[in-house]
Amino acid sequence: MITAKIIKKYKLDKSTWTYKGFHGVLHTIFAVGQSCLAMQKVYGDTNKVILNILIDNYGHWYWNDDDLTRIRELFLKRLKRNKNYFSGLKTAWAKKINNFEKVIKKVDQIDLSKLTDKQLADLYDVFYRAYLEEYSYFMTLGDAISMHADRYLVPEFQKILGDEFNDVFPKLIVTKYRSFIE
């Protein structure tokens, strides 16, 4: 059975996973898996395994913990080695965002009902590629860095802040912006 071969090949039965749940449809979730392939060109090493299950327009998304750790450690290593590494990534990402916004504006200006199926498919391909290139930066690095911060970031702050941790740390992580939930 092919499923058993995949489980064995990637040692999925020996892995730990971080779960995310969200409303979505297959079309929007598909970019998640593809984002890793797109980001390999930029970052080199990305997720090896992502598991997405869609049931009744609700996505059950499982990140492989070993992948998250490996990507995060690689990012931090590169950041320590090159103080301009992060700003370089931000600049590259900004270009991808700008390109995606141009594509969106182009699509908004077109009467899609007047396009042939081929023209519509070609336009969609341009849109999807721009979306994927922009989206992949966050999907690959954002979750690897943000997930499990309690495991790698909090202990560092505890060392630095010592007895003042409980008073100071909450003040450090408060933002002036309202959260999505708020």
Side-chain angles (χ1 to χ4, degrees):
M1 178 187 263
I2 197 158
T3 305
K5 289 180 183 179
I6 291 171
I7 290 170
K8 184 177 180 178
K9 177 180 179 179
Y10 293 102
K11 301 175 185 162
L12 301 181
D13 57 334
K14 301 190 180 5
S15 299
T16 58
W17 303 86
T18 297
Y19 173 79
K20 262 186 166 179
F22 57 93
H23 294 280
V25 294
L26 182 59
H27 178 75
T28 56
I29 295 170
F30 187 71
V32 173
Q34 291 243 296
S35 68
C36 297
L37 299 173
M39 195 60 179
Q40 279 180 337
K41 298 173 193 168
V42 175
Y43 195 65
D45 190 11
T46 60
N47 302 80
K48 293 186 180 1
V49 180
I50 298 173
L51 180 60
N52 288 311
I53 302 168
L54 189 67
I55 301 170
D56 296 327
N57 292 333
Y58 193 82
H60 303 273
W61 180 359
Y62 296 88
W63 285 107
N64 181 284
D65 289 339
D66 290 339
D67 283 350
L68 292 174
T69 300
R70 188 185 69 259
I71 292 165
R72 180 182 59 249
E73 288 176 357
L74 179 60
F75 172 79
L76 294 173
K77 181 179 174 182
R78 289 176 178 176
L79 193 60
K80 287 177 186 175
R81 195 173 43 214
N82 177 359
K83 65 180 181 175
N84 297 318
Y85 181 70
F86 185 67
S87 61
L89 279 177
K90 278 178 50 179
T91 300
W93 188 23
K95 288 178 183 175
K96 300 295 183 185
I97 291 169
N98 186 44
N99 182 54
F100 182 53
E101 288 173 354
K102 286 178 183 176
V103 170
I104 290 170
K105 285 179 185 175
K106 179 181 176 184
V107 170
D108 283 344
Q109 294 171 356
I110 295 173
D111 183 351
L112 301 177
S113 67
K114 293 183 179 180
L115 297 181
T116 66
D117 288 348
K118 169 96 170 84
Q119 290 170 322
L120 193 56
D122 289 346
L123 181 61
Y124 178 78
D125 188 55
V126 169
F127 167 83
Y128 186 74
R129 288 179 191 278
Y131 172 66
L132 190 59
E133 287 181 1
E134 176 274 329
Y135 183 68
S136 62
Y137 278 76
F138 179 74
M139 289 312 305
T140 300
L141 297 175
D143 282 348
I145 294 165
S146 66
M147 291 183 172
H148 307 154
D150 58 318
R151 298 180 193 173
Y152 75 95
L153 195 57
V154 170
E156 293 300 318
F157 276 96
Q158 286 172 324
K159 282 187 227 172
I160 293 166
L161 298 172
D163 294 338
E164 296 179 40
F165 177 81
N166 290 335
D167 292 328
V168 175
F169 187 72
K171 294 173 186 169
L172 292 173
I173 60 173
V174 171
T175 177
K176 66 179 182 178
Y177 304 103
R178 290 179 62 158
S179 72
F180 176 75
I181 298 298
E182 290 173 322

